[in-house]
Amino acid sequence: MWSRRQWLGLVGLAACRPDLRDPECRRAADYAGAPRLDVAADFLDGRQGGAIDGALAPALTERLEAALAEVLAKSQAPAISAAYAVPGAGLWTATRGLACTEPATPVTAEAKFQACSIGKLVTAVLVLRLVERGRLRLDEPIARWFPRSPGSSRITIDHLLTHTGGVYSFNNGPTFDHELAEAHTPESLVATAAEHANLFCPGATWAYSNTGYVMLGLIVERCHDATLAEVIAAEIAGPLGLRGLVGQRAGVAAAGLVRGHKNRTPLPADTHYEAPHGAGSIAAGADDLVRLLHAVLAGRLVTAQTVTGMLEDMAPMFDDPSLRYGRGMMFYEKMPGGPGRMVGHSGGALGARAIVAYLPAEPAFVAVMFNDERPAEAGLWALVQAGRG
């Protein structure tokens, strides 16, 4: 199975160096990293757009319920939120366990879990909607918004979307998780990153950058003249009827939010999960994530051409060709003893793990969320096996 480093998505820094041909990065560089891949044709065959309203067959639901109970017991996580949808058939979802272990507080059906880096999918969609409306260009330099950031006159919006800008990721410092006990504004995270040199000339290769997606979130806010949470509500959650999906804000407690845990020990209630902003500040239920990914791949939020672009030019993540990144979307290659090829996004943060994916071989949309640091991919695989009978 994939390593924690791969799945977490909020850590990991590729071993990248400035382009020796242009050490001061006076220009964007030609891509010289590991070969990229286009996977759109494998996932956008029309089946992904089938309706997921209604209930699944009782026999399938029973298998999924049994698998959920087993996953929760084996994982030792306090709680799990899971969803499984078959295009053209329907959707099943369930939430079980404890919202907090001390005192023991059962979850409710409306419980919200941390979506972590899955929030990047939302940020990317918001940016691409602005591109479709002519408000932004993918090749537009970010100096217009971040004139003091290193290399901003050569780093483009597309570089940020694809993690090819070389921007230092604010969480690469060893104490960032502990600093979640304090509030961080998105502007302060960008300023922190600007104190560090870029990792490479823009476009030269790939390195995961949370700072890049914070920048994108700020660009979205400035284009809409509203907070990112407000834009998410107006552009994504509202139109799709996702009552449980919210962008978190400092000082505003989301209703029904479960507590994060580390080995079943609850983290402080005031852990600042809103801090990553456009890089991952979404709270939701697993059914919200399934409906979100379904809407994206079905072309309900952006055009089919844009969706295709999200699944093109996918570079290996952390030098691993089995895990790739496009524009706000991850591609997972088939692994021995695991699920088949899939696209979606995974994420992790202090006290939480989550994944949402579409597997065309089933076909099915699957999401799993834990309020502890347990591998969400194991839960996804268990549900896929249950779906196969």
Side-chain angles (χ1 to χ4, degrees):
M1 300 301 289
W2 295 274
S3 70
R4 178 186 175 189
R5 183 182 186 216
Q6 292 171 317
W7 285 94
L8 181 55
L10 283 175
V11 299
L13 175 62
C16 303
R17 298 177 176 84
D19 186 341
L20 297 179
R21 296 167 299 178
D22 185 17
E24 297 180 0
C25 292
R26 293 181 295 268
R27 56 175 174 77
D30 294 333
Y31 181 78
R36 293 180 286 192
L37 187 67
D38 295 345
V39 302
D42 298 331
F43 293 90
L44 306 178
D45 60 5
R47 293 181 302 157
Q48 80 282 355
I52 57 173
D53 300 322
L56 296 175
L60 174 54
T61 297
E62 289 177 9
R63 296 199 303 272
L64 292 169
E65 290 281 357
L68 181 74
E70 184 176 0
V71 167
L72 184 59
K74 287 184 176 180
S75 71
Q76 296 289 298
I80 184 173
S81 180
Y84 186 100
V86 178
L91 180 147
W92 162 88
T93 187
T95 302
R96 303 283 186 271
L98 298 175
C100 185
T101 58
E102 299 173 12
T105 308
V107 294
T108 66
E110 293 75 31
K112 297 180 180 67
F113 290 64
Q114 298 298 333
C116 311
S117 275
I118 297 171
K120 290 182 175 66
L121 171 62
V122 172
T123 300
V125 167
L126 293 173
V127 169
L128 292 170
R129 285 166 68 90
L130 288 166
V131 171
E132 289 183 347
R133 295 168 185 169
R135 299 283 305 280
L136 296 174
R137 300 191 328 270
L138 288 178
D139 62 356
E140 189 167 2
I142 62 171
R144 170 181 166 190
W145 300 277
F146 308 105
R148 295 182 179 86
S149 290
S152 60
S153 64
R154 295 167 298 282
I155 297 171
T156 67
I157 287 173
D158 201 41
H159 286 141
L160 299 185
L161 283 171
T162 57
H163 297 290
T164 57
V167 179
Y168 179 87
S169 192
F170 61 79
N171 61 301
N172 281 330
T175 64
F176 181 77
D177 278 353
H178 302 291
E179 291 172 359
L180 288 178
E182 303 175 2
H184 298 266
T185 66
E187 291 84 0
S188 72
L189 297 177
V190 172
T192 295
E195 296 173 359
H196 298 263
N198 289 342
L199 306 178
F200 49 80
C201 295
T205 186
W206 187 96
Y208 200 89
S209 175
N210 284 292
T211 306
Y213 269 77
V214 171
M215 290 173 156
L216 291 172
L218 286 169
I219 291 171
V220 167
E221 288 187 334
R222 292 167 188 176
C223 287
H224 284 275
D225 193 23
T227 66
L228 183 61
E230 291 169 338
V231 179
I232 290 168
E235 295 275 314
I236 306 289
L240 295 181
L242 305 180
R243 293 188 293 271
L245 189 148
V246 298
Q248 298 174 91
R249 294 178 289 170
V252 180
L257 189 65
V258 302
R259 187 82 69 87
H261 294 74
K262 195 172 184 66
N263 296 322
R264 295 186 65 87
T265 299
L267 300 178
D270 61 351
T271 301
H272 288 274
Y273 286 111
E274 83 285 347
H277 196 253
S281 60
I282 301 294
D287 58 323
D288 296 309
L289 298 185
V290 159
R291 294 184 188 280
L292 168 67
L293 183 59
H294 174 259
V296 173
L297 293 181
R300 293 172 55 198
L301 290 173
V302 289
T303 66
Q305 181 179 0
T306 295
V307 176
T308 296
M310 296 175 77
L311 298 174
E312 292 179 333
D313 306 318
M314 303 194 87
M317 300 179 68
F318 316 117
D319 297 320
D320 181 355
S322 70
L323 191 64
R324 294 173 175 271
Y325 208 97
R327 293 173 175 84
M329 196 86 74
M330 293 170 64
F331 165 72
Y332 312 76
E333 185 58 88
K334 183 176 181 179
M335 299 287 285
R341 305 175 101 210
M342 55 190 191
V343 291
H345 216 294
S346 56
L350 187 67
R353 298 289 186 270
I355 184 171
V356 61
Y358 170 62
L359 297 86
E362 307 310 320
F365 290 86
V366 188
V368 172
M369 309 177 80
F370 286 124
N371 61 341
D372 206 326
E373 297 176 10
R374 301 292 191 260
E377 74 274 14
L380 179 145
W381 178 220
L383 293 181
V384 171
Q385 290 177 301
R388 294 175 180 176

